[in-house]
Amino acid sequence: MRLAAALVVASLAACSRGPGKIHVRTVRVADGAVTPALREVGIDEAALDDAARAALRSAGFAFGEGARPHIAEVSGASVRLAAPNASGGAPRLEIAVEVALVPTDGGEPGAVRETGTAAAPVGGGDPATAARAALAEAAQRAAESLLLGFAEEAKPIDKLVGDLESRDPRVRDHAVRVLADRRGAASAAVPALIARLKDEDPRVVHRAVGALAQIGDARAVGPLIDLSRNGDAALAARVARLIGDIGGPEAEGYLLTLEAGHPDPRVRKAAREALGEMRARAEQGGALSARK
């Protein structure tokens, strides 16, 4: 993970959202980020602030104004006691923390946020030591994911398509996210995104489904239908809504089939609603054409 972050730092020396390094003006701990459970293990606002600052510096972010400074906001922190792993040992204290970088000028793209999770064994009955260790590692993971995200945002479509084949699932995940944000401009990436529907990482598959829906290219309808047939009812219902958003004859035919005969009422309901929205859009489009 450290090597991957170092390579990203090198690439960002030449390209980022702005010239040079990404600058962080300050760190802000969100209201409510420190829960009673965190305080019980010795984590307070100062600890979250310190962990975020150290992680961002270690990952390669610079503190100061820069060309387009950001505010780092720490939130979404949580803690839980996890059971020992399969090999035994002591129970582990698991901490998750979300770090977001928000541009101070309010421009686009807006905030980028990542969550890091880490666990440390509770040794000698001292949960505070385990909590500090887990917090530091979780913040580091969030910061490194943020850096990967910034690196992907700086890349053109062809480079993002290449990253969809990366051996690192985090790189593939970030590439999918950025392509989704670019919507119609990313239509050239549709075949590569379709291939990610068979990714070995379920998170990448989930992200690719959403990206294809956001891009809205009809080529994705058939592969999304195939995916839904291999999954559970919740996936089938989600895909029904998404292909309804994409539209087209293939989507309509499949939705009609689901509405008429799928055994799960949730899927029938999703198909019925997707069909209704498709027809409403078609009627609205026809009305607009008639006025011209």
Side-chain angles (χ1 to χ4, degrees):
M1 183 176 292
R2 295 292 187 273
L3 177 60
L7 292 173
V8 174
V9 171
S11 70
L12 283 174
C15 63
S16 69
R17 286 186 178 184
K21 282 190 174 183
I22 300 160
H23 284 71
V24 178
R25 176 182 290 171
T26 188
V27 173
R28 178 175 64 206
V29 177
D31 293 340
V34 182
T35 63
L38 282 169
R39 293 193 189 279
E40 286 181 11
V41 295
I43 302 298
D44 58 11
E45 287 83 358
L48 286 178
D49 185 293
D50 290 345
R53 287 177 187 274
L56 290 165
R57 283 196 178 96
S58 176
F61 292 94
F63 275 76
E65 288 299 321
R68 190 188 180 200
H70 292 69
I71 293 173
E73 182 172 274
V74 187
S75 63
S78 64
V79 60
R80 74 181 185 95
L81 188 64
N85 55 34
S87 60
R92 296 166 300 130
L93 202 63
E94 183 179 277
I95 285 185
V97 62
E98 181 182 271
V99 181
L101 287 179
V102 184
T104 57
D105 61 7
E108 294 293 337
V112 176
R113 59 189 69 246
E114 292 292 339
T115 299
T117 303
V122 181
D126 182 14
T129 299
R132 287 192 294 271
L135 174 62
E137 186 173 351
Q140 186 68 38
R141 290 179 178 177
E144 290 176 359
S145 290
L146 281 168
L147 200 67
L148 283 170
F150 276 86
E152 290 303 297
E153 287 183 9
K155 294 181 180 180
I157 299 293
D158 62 330
K159 299 294 184 183
L160 291 168
V161 169
D163 282 349
L164 292 176
E165 299 293 333
S166 171
R167 295 177 63 182
D168 188 338
R170 297 174 305 154
V171 175
R172 299 198 302 273
D173 183 64
H174 280 291
V176 173
R177 292 192 206 187
V178 176
L179 288 167
D181 289 340
R182 296 189 187 177
R183 299 179 182 269
S187 60
V190 167
L193 286 168
I194 288 172
R196 289 305 99 210
L197 296 177
K198 297 180 180 179
D199 197 282
E200 62 187 22
D201 190 317
R203 293 169 298 181
V204 177
V205 174
H206 175 82
R207 194 88 63 184
V209 170
L212 289 166
Q214 284 184 256
I215 294 170
D217 192 298
R219 289 174 292 174
V221 171
L224 287 172
I225 290 172
D226 291 341
L227 178 67
S228 73
R229 287 172 172 155
N230 297 327
D232 57 17
L235 176 62
R238 182 186 179 213
V239 169
R241 295 182 184 279
L242 293 178
I243 66 171
D245 290 340
I246 296 173
E250 186 176 13
E252 184 176 15
Y254 183 61
L255 291 173
L256 286 168
T257 301
L258 291 181
E259 182 191 29
H262 197 281
D264 193 293
R266 293 173 297 172
V267 179
R268 295 197 300 272
K269 179 175 182 290
R272 183 167 57 254
E273 291 175 350
L275 280 168
E277 291 171 2
M278 281 182 62
R279 289 164 180 163
R281 288 197 303 271
E283 290 175 3
Q284 184 179 22
L288 288 173
S289 297
R291 293 195 195 108
K292 293 181 180 179

